[in-house]
Amino acid sequence: MKKKITNAICIVLLLIPAVLAVAPLLFLLTGSVMDTSEIREYIGPVLGDGEGFAVWRLFPMYPTLVNVIELFFDSPEFFQMFWNSMKITAGILTGQLLFGMPAAWGLAQYEFPGKRAVYFSYIVLMLMPFQVTMLSEYIVLDLLGLTDTLSAVILPGMFLTFPPFLMYRFFSEIPPALIEAARVDGAGELAVFFRIGIPVGSSGIISALVLQFLECQSMVEQPLIFLKTKRLWPLSLYLPEVDLSHAGSALCASFVALVPALFVFLYGQDYLEQGIVASAIKE
């Protein structure tokens, strides 16, 4: 009996933070089908349009699809920014596959002078926040004539060091005997990479791409600095532009923008756990 009570208490204590973590998602879903006047009544005090404290209801008093219709049929700007986000994300992930993955393989499987220095330079660059490299990136992009284009956001993202670092951890765990056996059988270096490296290290590749996808979907500073034309902005810059009069469509847009990231996260959850474990292992 005592054990059952203890288990019940533990379950309740674990459910409380779980519910708090899911609460923002429920608020978005509720606000998406809530009337503007009702939203104004609940969160008006927070945005300076009323007095007292903000409140919220788990279920709206008068559910409506007006916000959904307005977003999907009367907001072309939303779709333009949504596709800008998809283009930026696709470009960065493609670049990571073309450049980051071979770099991680070479760093993990080959010995060359200065390898240790290259490895630590990856770590240093990975730890640097964007604010440190922002000015130098802007100068280089301006000299190349790429500012105010999507390439200004895509090109630096293609060479971020964290995804290759994560892939490196998985590539370095491949048994040397397996690679040596392939070489003895006559496989060239490219064959070893494509037939052994990528399949065996697929968990690291997918976890790196999932993390990079989530990062790309929430980019704010990079497009804000490098993109001056509003039609080039990603969706992450569209949402802060909405005021209280369009709060319902803003909540609906937030929920729709969250859906792709949610599906990617659910698909790659197991790979993310493996990636976290691998990145925590010391060299």
Side-chain angles (χ1 to χ4, degrees), residues 27 39-48 50-57:
F27 291 163
I39 296 176
R40 184 187 297 273
E41 178 185 351
Y42 294 152
I43 64 175
V46 176
L47 300 179
E51 298 180 355
F53 299 94
V55 296
W56 198 257
R57 293 178 61 91

Side-chain angles (χ1 to χ4, degrees), residues 187-252:
E189 296 303 316
L190 284 177
V192 171
F193 175 58
F194 284 106
R195 296 182 180 180
I196 295 179
I198 294 179
V200 178
S202 59
S203 296
I205 297 171
I206 295 175
S207 63
L209 294 180
V210 169
L211 286 172
Q212 191 61 56
F213 181 92
L214 299 177
E215 176 68 21
C216 292
Q217 291 295 298
S218 59
M219 277 186 175
V220 174
E221 293 176 320
Q222 293 89 334
L224 190 63
I225 297 298
F226 300 143
L227 303 177
K228 304 301 180 185
T229 305
K230 193 172 182 178
R231 64 179 178 82
L232 298 175
W233 283 5
L235 194 58
S236 55
L237 295 185
Y238 166 78
L239 299 177
E241 290 286 305
V242 183
D243 55 13
L244 184 60
S245 61
H246 299 87
S249 59
L251 292 171
C252 185

Side-chain angles (χ1 to χ4, degrees), residues 26-27 30-31 34 38 42 55-62:
L26 297 178
F27 291 163
T30 303
M34 189 178 289
E38 189 175 359
Y42 294 152
V55 296
W56 198 257
R57 293 178 61 91
L58 187 59
F59 300 101
M61 295 182 62
Y62 310 103

Side-chain angles (χ1 to χ4, degrees), residues 23-33 56 248 250-255 258:
L25 183 60
L26 297 178
F27 291 163
L28 284 179
L29 182 59
T30 303
S32 299
V33 293
W56 198 257
L251 292 171
C252 185
S254 300
F255 183 79
L258 184 64

